[in-house]
Amino acid sequence: MAQFDLLVRGGNVIDGTGAPARTADVAVKDGRIVALGEVNGDADREIDANGWWVAPGFIDVHCHDDIALLNTPSLDFKTAQGVTTVVCGNCGLGAAPANEHVKEFFARGIEGVLGPVKDFSWSTIGEFYDAVREAKPAPNVAFLVPHGTLRVSTMGWEHRDPTDAELGKMKDHLAEGMAAGAAGLSTGLMYVPGAFAKTEELIELNRVVAEYGGLYVSHIRNEGNGLLDSVREAIRIGEEAGTPVQISHHKASGRDNWGLTKESLPLIDAARERGVRVTMDAYPYTAASTSLAALTRNGRLVRALDPHDVMVASVKYQHEYEGKRLDEIADIMDLPVEDAVPKLLADEDQAVVAVMFIMDEADVRRVLQHPQCMIGSDGIPSPTGKPHPRLYGTFPRVLERYVRNEKLFSLEEGVRKMTQLPAKTFMLADRGEVREGAWADIVIFDASTIAEQSTYDEPRQYPTGISHVIVNGQVVVENGQVSEIPSGQFLTRP
Ligand SMILES: [Zn+2]
């Protein structure tokens, strides 16, 4: 019997800590890295990584793959990028705890974002996690408890504070999720019903998260002209409840608000200086993506958005609209945009996902460059249509565009933003580093050629320049071929 299961020979090893790359062999046994350096001994399988870079597998901290894990457990669009762990349940959206209200939540449009649920076979959060375990996904998975789902399941779409009994019920569900291993609580305060929650409700819920040692992750209330107050609110919630704070997909949205990250990042730095652990994630694009319904007020597109800046990414029925801008669709319908948008939403059961070209490159760069910013794709895994290219391209794009071409930060720093920083923030034990004793989540790539291939027109393209992706010691991607090996583990908070 060979000494090791796998031996990756002679690569430039980037360990995830930000330290400079060095040539080393990496030996794997029983899913973990057991030797690093000049390794003697034989292995069942050897990979010659001479001339390649060997890094910890990338951790995608901002995922909406909750249902895709059940429907497409290979999660090929993620593993092909070098992603070995996904953190789901973001933006307050999720499928548990489930009841009739939550089924209606999906029918009213959430399925456009998370995908269709074939069978709500669970009711509690723990039962949903069991369903994910049974699906045997290829990557590792961690979860956040989604506040929107907690609120809908408890009090429907009521636009008011919860009663004491309702708040108690939400806390019970949250505690059940935390006990089942969730990393923390997520909110989507731009969306209904998260938008109905006042700061005090969120502080109260976060006290439960604090008891379990979890973190608070927020799609903040307003990423446009309310950005600074919204960042302050997120920090206050964590500071008063005693939880670390992760600001999701940090950005300044809308032309009038470009440049606001010059003020939002110092708010984060100041909070950190007084001891609040605030971190953030970002995706490397100037276009955002979300459900079209969330961009409307009373059925009309919000005034700050130019209809030409909004592209329909995916719909449920009329696929001919996918890839078209709202002004073009209005022309095809022969209606003014004000009437075309509500008609489109009604015809599609609200399940329309949009891509919006609303950010400035300078803000994107400023946020990505911040030492506390990690990478999160925010990919929306629509089974049809033209999803935002971030679903397939986020991680290679950072290494191609911001590391290699623009030299915004070093390769080692880019890898740290995808590995050790997220593993520490989300408490993923023994992940995010290439070191003895860590789990063998590894990506082997060529730093001089790695490249995104997905585009807004043709998003469903795997990146190039990645030779192997390894999850818990098992090779799940080899030279662009993605397998369905059930190699992932369900990661629970330690
Ligand atoms: Zn979000």
Side-chain angles (χ1 to χ4, degrees), residues 397-412:
R397 180 179 172 91
V398 170
L399 298 176
E400 173 192 6
R401 182 181 173 100
Y402 293 104
V403 169
R404 188 168 69 235
N405 295 346
E406 302 199 8
K407 302 187 171 45
L408 195 63
F409 35 80
S410 70
L411 176 60
E412 289 85 351

PDB file of all heavy atoms in Angstrom, residues 397-412:
ATOM      1  N   ARG A 397     -11.408  35.566 -12.669  1.00  0.00           N
ATOM      2  CA  ARG A 397     -11.364  36.969 -13.098  1.00  0.00           C
ATOM      3  C   ARG A 397     -10.518  37.822 -12.152  1.00  0.00           C
ATOM      4  O   ARG A 397      -9.769  38.697 -12.591  1.00  0.00           O
ATOM      5  CB  ARG A 397     -12.784  37.540 -13.169  1.00  0.00           C
ATOM      6  CG  ARG A 397     -12.841  39.001 -13.596  1.00  0.00           C
ATOM      7  CD  ARG A 397     -14.302  39.442 -13.645  1.00  0.00           C
ATOM      8  NE  ARG A 397     -14.474  40.858 -13.859  1.00  0.00           N
ATOM      9  CZ  ARG A 397     -14.603  41.425 -15.059  1.00  0.00           C
ATOM     10  NH1 ARG A 397     -14.555  40.688 -16.140  1.00  0.00           N
ATOM     11  NH2 ARG A 397     -14.787  42.728 -15.174  1.00  0.00           N
ATOM     12  N   VAL A 398     -10.647  37.577 -10.839  1.00  0.00           N
ATOM     13  CA  VAL A 398      -9.832  38.345  -9.886  1.00  0.00           C
ATOM     14  C   VAL A 398      -8.349  38.100 -10.167  1.00  0.00           C
ATOM     15  O   VAL A 398      -7.542  39.040 -10.197  1.00  0.00           O
ATOM     16  CB  VAL A 398     -10.180  37.957  -8.427  1.00  0.00           C
ATOM     17  CG1 VAL A 398      -9.166  38.557  -7.451  1.00  0.00           C
ATOM     18  CG2 VAL A 398     -11.590  38.420  -8.083  1.00  0.00           C
ATOM     19  N   LEU A 399      -7.983  36.837 -10.398  1.00  0.00           N
ATOM     20  CA  LEU A 399      -6.563  36.507 -10.606  1.00  0.00           C
ATOM     21  C   LEU A 399      -6.068  36.995 -11.967  1.00  0.00           C
ATOM     22  O   LEU A 399      -4.897  37.365 -12.118  1.00  0.00           O
ATOM     23  CB  LEU A 399      -6.360  34.993 -10.465  1.00  0.00           C
ATOM     24  CG  LEU A 399      -6.706  34.443  -9.071  1.00  0.00           C
ATOM     25  CD1 LEU A 399      -6.583  32.934  -9.046  1.00  0.00           C
ATOM     26  CD2 LEU A 399      -5.831  35.074  -7.989  1.00  0.00           C
ATOM     27  N   GLU A 400      -6.952  37.001 -12.941  1.00  0.00           N
ATOM     28  CA  GLU A 400      -6.577  37.449 -14.293  1.00  0.00           C
ATOM     29  C   GLU A 400      -6.499  38.974 -14.364  1.00  0.00           C
ATOM     30  O   GLU A 400      -5.490  39.549 -14.753  1.00  0.00           O
ATOM     31  CB  GLU A 400      -7.634  36.946 -15.296  1.00  0.00           C
ATOM     32  CG  GLU A 400      -7.463  37.468 -16.709  1.00  0.00           C
ATOM     33  CD  GLU A 400      -8.686  37.193 -17.598  1.00  0.00           C
ATOM     34  OE1 GLU A 400      -9.713  36.703 -17.087  1.00  0.00           O
ATOM     35  OE2 GLU A 400      -8.606  37.483 -18.804  1.00  0.00           O
ATOM     36  N   ARG A 401      -7.590  39.593 -13.969  1.00  0.00           N
ATOM     37  CA  ARG A 401      -7.733  41.028 -14.217  1.00  0.00           C
ATOM     38  C   ARG A 401      -7.063  41.877 -13.141  1.00  0.00           C
ATOM     39  O   ARG A 401      -6.313  42.798 -13.450  1.00  0.00           O
ATOM     40  CB  ARG A 401      -9.230  41.352 -14.285  1.00  0.00           C
ATOM     41  CG  ARG A 401      -9.563  42.792 -14.583  1.00  0.00           C
ATOM     42  CD  ARG A 401     -11.086  42.972 -14.603  1.00  0.00           C
ATOM     43  NE  ARG A 401     -11.460  44.360 -14.718  1.00  0.00           N
ATOM     44  CZ  ARG A 401     -11.834  44.949 -15.861  1.00  0.00           C
ATOM     45  NH1 ARG A 401     -11.889  44.242 -16.960  1.00  0.00           N
ATOM     46  NH2 ARG A 401     -12.169  46.218 -15.881  1.00  0.00           N
ATOM     47  N   TYR A 402      -7.344  41.574 -11.875  1.00  0.00           N
ATOM     48  CA  TYR A 402      -6.878  42.472 -10.808  1.00  0.00           C
ATOM     49  C   TYR A 402      -5.490  42.110 -10.292  1.00  0.00           C
ATOM     50  O   TYR A 402      -4.776  42.978  -9.813  1.00  0.00           O
ATOM     51  CB  TYR A 402      -7.925  42.532  -9.690  1.00  0.00           C
ATOM     52  CG  TYR A 402      -9.175  43.203 -10.195  1.00  0.00           C
ATOM     53  CD1 TYR A 402     -10.316  42.468 -10.514  1.00  0.00           C
ATOM     54  CD2 TYR A 402      -9.187  44.572 -10.446  1.00  0.00           C
ATOM     55  CE1 TYR A 402     -11.441  43.084 -11.045  1.00  0.00           C
ATOM     56  CE2 TYR A 402     -10.302  45.201 -10.976  1.00  0.00           C
ATOM     57  CZ  TYR A 402     -11.436  44.451 -11.272  1.00  0.00           C
ATOM     58  OH  TYR A 402     -12.533  45.069 -11.810  1.00  0.00           O
ATOM     59  N   VAL A 403      -5.107  40.827 -10.396  1.00  0.00           N
ATOM     60  CA  VAL A 403      -3.749  40.443  -9.998  1.00  0.00           C
ATOM     61  C   VAL A 403      -2.794  40.569 -11.194  1.00  0.00           C
ATOM     62  O   VAL A 403      -1.825  41.323 -11.151  1.00  0.00           O
ATOM     63  CB  VAL A 403      -3.714  39.009  -9.421  1.00  0.00           C
ATOM     64  CG1 VAL A 403      -2.271  38.530  -9.258  1.00  0.00           C
ATOM     65  CG2 VAL A 403      -4.448  38.956  -8.077  1.00  0.00           C
ATOM     66  N   ARG A 404      -3.056  39.831 -12.266  1.00  0.00           N
ATOM     67  CA  ARG A 404      -2.069  39.745 -13.349  1.00  0.00           C
ATOM     68  C   ARG A 404      -2.024  41.016 -14.209  1.00  0.00           C
ATOM     69  O   ARG A 404      -0.963  41.562 -14.466  1.00  0.00           O
ATOM     70  CB  ARG A 404      -2.366  38.534 -14.242  1.00  0.00           C
ATOM     71  CG  ARG A 404      -1.269  38.279 -15.276  1.00  0.00           C
ATOM     72  CD  ARG A 404      -1.423  36.932 -15.955  1.00  0.00           C
ATOM     73  NE  ARG A 404      -2.583  36.851 -16.829  1.00  0.00           N
ATOM     74  CZ  ARG A 404      -3.540  35.919 -16.723  1.00  0.00           C
ATOM     75  NH1 ARG A 404      -3.465  34.983 -15.775  1.00  0.00           N
ATOM     76  NH2 ARG A 404      -4.552  35.903 -17.557  1.00  0.00           N
ATOM     77  N   ASN A 405      -3.202  41.482 -14.645  1.00  0.00           N
ATOM     78  CA  ASN A 405      -3.194  42.603 -15.584  1.00  0.00           C
ATOM     79  C   ASN A 405      -3.014  43.952 -14.888  1.00  0.00           C
ATOM     80  O   ASN A 405      -2.251  44.784 -15.329  1.00  0.00           O
ATOM     81  CB  ASN A 405      -4.474  42.621 -16.419  1.00  0.00           C
ATOM     82  CG  ASN A 405      -4.568  41.389 -17.310  1.00  0.00           C
ATOM     83  OD1 ASN A 405      -3.589  40.680 -17.491  1.00  0.00           O
ATOM     84  ND2 ASN A 405      -5.756  41.134 -17.847  1.00  0.00           N
ATOM     85  N   GLU A 406      -3.742  44.157 -13.789  1.00  0.00           N
ATOM     86  CA  GLU A 406      -3.727  45.487 -13.175  1.00  0.00           C
ATOM     87  C   GLU A 406      -2.809  45.583 -11.967  1.00  0.00           C
ATOM     88  O   GLU A 406      -2.573  46.682 -11.473  1.00  0.00           O
ATOM     89  CB  GLU A 406      -5.152  45.886 -12.793  1.00  0.00           C
ATOM     90  CG  GLU A 406      -6.071  45.869 -14.003  1.00  0.00           C
ATOM     91  CD  GLU A 406      -7.329  46.681 -13.794  1.00  0.00           C
ATOM     92  OE1 GLU A 406      -7.428  47.377 -12.768  1.00  0.00           O
ATOM     93  OE2 GLU A 406      -8.200  46.603 -14.665  1.00  0.00           O
ATOM     94  N   LYS A 407      -2.362  44.442 -11.463  1.00  0.00           N
ATOM     95  CA  LYS A 407      -1.460  44.416 -10.300  1.00  0.00           C
ATOM     96  C   LYS A 407      -2.009  45.238  -9.130  1.00  0.00           C
ATOM     97  O   LYS A 407      -1.292  45.962  -8.442  1.00  0.00           O
ATOM     98  CB  LYS A 407      -0.059  44.895 -10.700  1.00  0.00           C
ATOM     99  CG  LYS A 407       0.498  44.028 -11.821  1.00  0.00           C
ATOM    100  CD  LYS A 407       1.936  44.317 -12.159  1.00  0.00           C
ATOM    101  CE  LYS A 407       2.523  43.298 -13.114  1.00  0.00           C
ATOM    102  NZ  LYS A 407       1.665  42.934 -14.284  1.00  0.00           N
ATOM    103  N   LEU A 408      -3.312  45.099  -8.913  1.00  0.00           N
ATOM    104  CA  LEU A 408      -3.973  45.807  -7.814  1.00  0.00           C
ATOM    105  C   LEU A 408      -3.485  45.268  -6.471  1.00  0.00           C
ATOM    106  O   LEU A 408      -3.410  45.992  -5.487  1.00  0.00           O
ATOM    107  CB  LEU A 408      -5.491  45.620  -7.948  1.00  0.00           C
ATOM    108  CG  LEU A 408      -6.402  46.522  -7.151  1.00  0.00           C
ATOM    109  CD1 LEU A 408      -6.240  47.984  -7.553  1.00  0.00           C
ATOM    110  CD2 LEU A 408      -7.871  46.105  -7.348  1.00  0.00           C
ATOM    111  N   PHE A 409      -3.196  43.971  -6.423  1.00  0.00           N
ATOM    112  CA  PHE A 409      -2.560  43.343  -5.256  1.00  0.00           C
ATOM    113  C   PHE A 409      -1.801  42.133  -5.759  1.00  0.00           C
ATOM    114  O   PHE A 409      -1.959  41.721  -6.919  1.00  0.00           O
ATOM    115  CB  PHE A 409      -3.571  42.975  -4.162  1.00  0.00           C
ATOM    116  CG  PHE A 409      -4.915  42.514  -4.661  1.00  0.00           C
ATOM    117  CD1 PHE A 409      -5.098  41.213  -5.111  1.00  0.00           C
ATOM    118  CD2 PHE A 409      -6.006  43.374  -4.681  1.00  0.00           C
ATOM    119  CE1 PHE A 409      -6.334  40.788  -5.571  1.00  0.00           C
ATOM    120  CE2 PHE A 409      -7.253  42.963  -5.148  1.00  0.00           C
ATOM    121  CZ  PHE A 409      -7.412  41.664  -5.594  1.00  0.00           C
ATOM    122  N   SER A 410      -0.976  41.563  -4.860  1.00  0.00           N
ATOM    123  CA  SER A 410      -0.124  40.448  -5.279  1.00  0.00           C
ATOM    124  C   SER A 410      -0.953  39.172  -5.453  1.00  0.00           C
ATOM    125  O   SER A 410      -2.082  39.069  -4.956  1.00  0.00           O
ATOM    126  CB  SER A 410       0.974  40.202  -4.238  1.00  0.00           C
ATOM    127  OG  SER A 410       0.384  39.668  -3.061  1.00  0.00           O
ATOM    128  N   LEU A 411      -0.366  38.212  -6.128  1.00  0.00           N
ATOM    129  CA  LEU A 411      -1.022  36.915  -6.287  1.00  0.00           C
ATOM    130  C   LEU A 411      -1.303  36.276  -4.925  1.00  0.00           C
ATOM    131  O   LEU A 411      -2.386  35.744  -4.684  1.00  0.00           O
ATOM    132  CB  LEU A 411      -0.101  36.011  -7.127  1.00  0.00           C
ATOM    133  CG  LEU A 411      -0.536  34.574  -7.347  1.00  0.00           C
ATOM    134  CD1 LEU A 411      -1.885  34.513  -8.063  1.00  0.00           C
ATOM    135  CD2 LEU A 411       0.528  33.824  -8.169  1.00  0.00           C
ATOM    136  N   GLU A 412      -0.323  36.366  -4.031  1.00  0.00           N
ATOM    137  CA  GLU A 412      -0.500  35.767  -2.706  1.00  0.00           C
ATOM    138  C   GLU A 412      -1.630  36.448  -1.934  1.00  0.00           C
ATOM    139  O   GLU A 412      -2.391  35.796  -1.220  1.00  0.00           O
ATOM    140  CB  GLU A 412       0.809  35.861  -1.906  1.00  0.00           C
ATOM    141  CG  GLU A 412       1.908  34.930  -2.412  1.00  0.00           C
ATOM    142  CD  GLU A 412       2.739  35.494  -3.569  1.00  0.00           C
ATOM    143  OE1 GLU A 412       2.369  36.562  -4.127  1.00  0.00           O
ATOM    144  OE2 GLU A 412       3.760  34.881  -3.915  1.00  0.00           O
TER     145      GLU A 412
END
